[in-house]
Amino acid sequence: MKFAPMGRMLIIIGVILIVVGVILHFGPKIPFLGKLPGDISIKRDGFQFYFPLMTSIVLSILLSLIIYIIQKLKG
């Protein structure tokens, strides 16, 4: 039974990879993602800078909430 923790870890890594793959596949189809007020976008001649500040904050809050709920359900 010493391989049980490794199996659990591989399953978790697999689920994370599936979630990331779904986000990468369907991410461009989410209308508000990357276009929220507070995202920094600077366009000049021959230069473009984009930093999704508000999008990063919203995603961080959502991921923190999901992790909190998962931990509460575990025990």
Side-chain angles (χ1 to χ4, degrees), residues 25-47:
H25 181 72
F26 293 110
K29 296 177 184 172
I30 300 174
F32 62 87
L33 193 61
K35 296 178 183 91
L36 292 175
D39 290 345
I40 299 169
S41 178
I42 301 172
K43 294 180 183 178
R44 306 243 190 247
D45 294 335
F47 176 77

Side-chain angles (χ1 to χ4, degrees), residues 1-14:
M1 289 296 179
K2 52 186 164 179
F3 291 113
M6 184 189 302
R8 182 176 297 154
M9 184 178 65
L10 288 173
I11 291 172
I12 291 171
I13 290 171

Side-chain angles (χ1 to χ4, degrees), residues 24-71:
L24 289 175
H25 181 72
F26 293 110
K29 296 177 184 172
I30 300 174
F32 62 87
L33 193 61
K35 296 178 183 91
L36 292 175
D39 290 345
I40 299 169
S41 178
I42 301 172
K43 294 180 183 178
R44 306 243 190 247
D45 294 335
F47 176 77
Q48 183 175 355
F49 176 76
Y50 179 72
F51 185 72
L53 182 64
M54 188 56 83
T55 301
S56 299
I57 292 171
V58 169
L59 288 177
S60 175
I61 291 170
L62 287 175
L63 287 174
S64 297
L65 183 63
I66 290 169
I67 291 170
Y68 174 78
I69 291 171
I70 290 172
Q71 286 179 347

